Amino acid sequence: MLAKIEISNFKNFKENFVFDLSNTSSFSFNQECIKNKVVNKAIVYGHNGSGKSNLGFAIFDLISHITDKKTEPSYYKNYLNADLDSQIASFKFEFRFDKNILEYSYTKSDYQTLISEELKINGKEYLFIDREKSSIFRTSAKGAENLKKDIGDSNISIINYLSKNTILDDNKDNNIFFKFKEFVNKMLYFKDVDGRNFLGLEQGGHSIFDDIVERNNLKDFEKFLNDAGIICKLVSKKGSESNNVVYFKFKKKEVVFSEIASSGTKALALFYFWYQRIKEENRVSFLFIDEFDAFYHHSLSKTLVEKLKELENTQVILTTHNTSIISNEILRPDCYFLMYPDRITSLAKSTTKELREAHNIEKMYRAGFFE
């Protein structure tokens, strides 16, 4: 699980912006929101321009060089902070796998160009390179003793170089290394209500309705919408390009779903698309949904958070402006985070007052109690 990220000189983040998911408290309620002493379900609040979307892009900067997935360049324009002179952005991640801690730090001059990398497992160096000083990397990985350590002018991550060019021994450190690789490969970010753009697990164009129909989930999707208060009947037909087209079925006629569905209904379709895939296949290790309920009624937002809480093996971070779901009935004070341009802090760490389950933390938030 992701336990902490420190960011410097990336987009709106200047120096040492820290998002710590491991600084939890000892609340006795909603304990399923914490796993291995790390926040497993989190909701982030912040004013427009505070950097909520950029926080997601910072976390998913990993995938551009650790995985084989392509990163959408438009997400990473203006990579460096415009107020600083430094030409290098730095990132430090801390992951926890059971009782083991893996730290991965790196620097970049842009989203494609790596400068340095360091990976530690339980405090001991596992991989290291500083390309400004040498093209030769160090590794303590067992099984890599005869691997060529000089990568020349290649910009390949030494993580990928190591995993693709040698067969590592079966030992504790190597197993943690591969758990890290697998976790990053299964991370997913999405926001676009039309379902066209994703980061991580899957990217680019993807037909939501082809997926729903081919999985024989159309009736279940219909029920999902009805349960959400959108009373409808759905049918599907083959389109001109042999794709599956979903229609709302009325008494007199059938109308293409995408032509009359509201933005909120389209957003629900995208949510359902991913939720079914995550739930059925256990494919996603980490899920970041930006402005997850921008088009939803507040009661529906609560329902969707409860559904996401059912995903025990998926760490979830949501961003929102909806204060109605700040409630101890849904999460707990150490799972709600307040974000500002220079810091992010949980509600639990934003006050010296002891918070209890009976407290109305939304009312306290609106009153400025946590400011």
Side-chain angles (χ1 to χ4, degrees):
M1 295 176 62
L2 175 64
K4 183 191 295 186
I5 178 174
E6 300 179 31
I7 315 157
S8 294
N9 198 28
F10 173 76
K11 290 187 175 286
N12 70 291
F13 304 120
K14 293 186 178 180
E15 296 178 358
N16 200 37
F17 183 94
V18 180
F19 182 29
D20 191 351
L21 292 158
S22 65
N23 193 11
T24 58
S25 302
S26 56
F27 298 108
S28 60
F29 55 94
N30 287 330
Q31 293 189 38
E32 70 277 10
C33 298
I34 306 295
K35 188 175 181 180
N36 195 23
K37 297 183 180 180
V38 175
V39 174
N40 193 37
K41 303 291 184 287
I43 297 180
V44 177
Y45 291 85
H47 294 294
N48 291 329
S50 60
K52 298 186 300 298
S53 297
N54 287 342
L55 176 62
F57 295 145
I59 294 171
F60 280 77
D61 186 80
L62 280 168
I63 69 168
S64 65
H65 59 273
I66 289 184
T67 75
D68 294 326
K69 303 174 179 68
K70 295 181 180 179
T71 303
E72 172 57 49
S74 63
Y75 293 149
Y76 290 92
K77 288 183 178 178
N78 304 308
Y79 191 83
L80 301 176
N81 185 276
D83 285 333
L84 301 181
D85 293 329
S86 174
Q87 297 302 303
I88 295 177
S90 63
F91 302 80
K92 182 177 180 180
F93 290 81
E94 180 183 310
F95 293 88
R96 294 189 184 179
F97 302 103
D98 298 322
K99 295 182 179 180
N100 300 292
I101 296 176
L102 182 148
E103 298 169 284
Y104 176 52
S105 306
Y106 64 88
T107 58
K108 285 182 171 181
S109 57
D110 56 59
Y111 87 101
Q112 292 179 314
T113 308
L114 282 162
I115 305 299
S116 66
E117 293 177 89
E118 182 178 36
L119 191 148
K120 294 181 178 180
I121 297 176
N122 294 323
K124 296 180 181 179
E125 182 185 286
Y126 184 85
L127 282 169
F128 176 84
I129 189 171
D130 184 347
R131 290 170 170 82
E132 291 188 325
K133 296 180 179 179
S134 173
S135 60
I136 301 173
F137 71 90
R138 302 193 299 260
T139 181
S140 62
K142 299 301 181 182
E145 290 81 4
N146 297 321
L147 178 66
K148 180 183 177 183
K149 307 300 192 303
D150 191 342
I151 60 173
D153 58 0
S154 170
N155 194 51
I156 187 174
S157 166
I158 54 174
I159 290 175
N160 282 349
Y161 183 84
L162 178 68
S163 61
K164 291 181 177 181
N165 289 284
T166 190
I167 299 176
L168 298 176
D169 294 350
D170 183 7
N171 64 23
K172 180 180 177 180
D173 285 356
N174 290 341
N175 290 335
I176 295 169
F177 172 72
F178 283 117
K179 284 183 179 180
F180 165 64
K181 281 275 295 179
E182 181 184 18
F183 186 94
V184 175
N185 266 302
K186 294 168 68 175
M187 292 169 62
L188 170 66
Y189 169 107
F190 73 82
K191 176 179 180 178
D192 189 345
V193 298
D194 290 325
R196 289 190 295 264
N197 297 303
F198 314 114
L199 282 173
L201 184 69
E202 297 201 24
Q203 301 166 288
H206 204 111
S207 172
I208 291 174
F209 295 117
D210 275 339
D211 187 85
I212 290 174
V213 173
E214 290 168 6
R215 290 171 181 267
N216 296 314
N217 282 341
L218 187 62
K219 285 299 178 184
D220 189 65
F221 176 50
E222 178 183 285
K223 182 180 183 300
F224 173 78
L225 292 179
N226 288 328
D227 291 344
I230 302 167
I231 308 305
C232 63
K233 290 185 177 180
L234 302 177
V235 295
S236 67
K237 298 179 181 179
K238 286 293 184 181
S240 59
E241 299 179 358
S242 297
N243 59 313
N244 293 293
V245 180
V246 172
Y247 295 78
F248 286 109
K249 182 177 177 61
F250 297 97
K251 290 182 179 179
K252 301 289 186 179
K253 60 188 300 187
E254 297 168 351
V255 183
V256 176
F257 183 97
S258 59
E259 291 181 357
I260 63 170
S262 67
S263 295
T265 305
K266 291 178 180 178
L268 278 173
L270 177 61
F271 178 90
Y272 178 86
F273 165 80
W274 281 117
Y275 183 75
Q276 288 300 301
R277 292 160 74 85
I278 296 168
K279 186 176 181 180
E280 292 174 4
E281 302 173 21
N282 192 27
R283 299 178 65 198
V284 177
S285 59
F286 179 93
L287 176 64
F288 190 104
I289 311 179
D290 195 16
E291 297 183 3
F292 87 103
D293 59 350
F295 301 98
Y296 302 151
H297 186 271
H298 63 82
S299 61
L300 180 55
S301 300
K302 178 180 178 180
T303 299
L304 297 188
V305 174
E306 293 292 352
K307 283 189 172 293
L308 290 169
K309 285 171 63 178
E310 296 173 5
L311 303 173
E312 296 180 6
N313 297 319
T314 302
Q315 189 176 14
V316 179
I317 296 178
L318 311 172
T319 75
T320 184
H321 295 286
N322 181 3
T323 62
S324 69
I325 53 174
I326 301 180
S327 170
N328 284 332
E329 293 182 359
I330 305 174
L331 301 181
R332 42 189 259 181
D334 51 353
C335 296
Y336 292 103
F337 290 82
L338 304 180
M339 186 166 183
Y340 306 92
D342 62 340
R343 68 191 186 282
I344 181 170
T345 311
S346 73
L347 293 185
K349 303 301 178 181
S350 298
T351 178
T352 57
K353 181 179 175 63
E354 181 182 356
L355 298 175
R356 298 188 296 273
E357 184 175 3
H359 280 144
N360 186 330
I361 56 175
E362 180 200 4
K363 185 176 180 180
M364 296 168 68
Y365 171 78
R366 287 180 172 273
F369 186 86
F370 299 106
E371 298 291 340

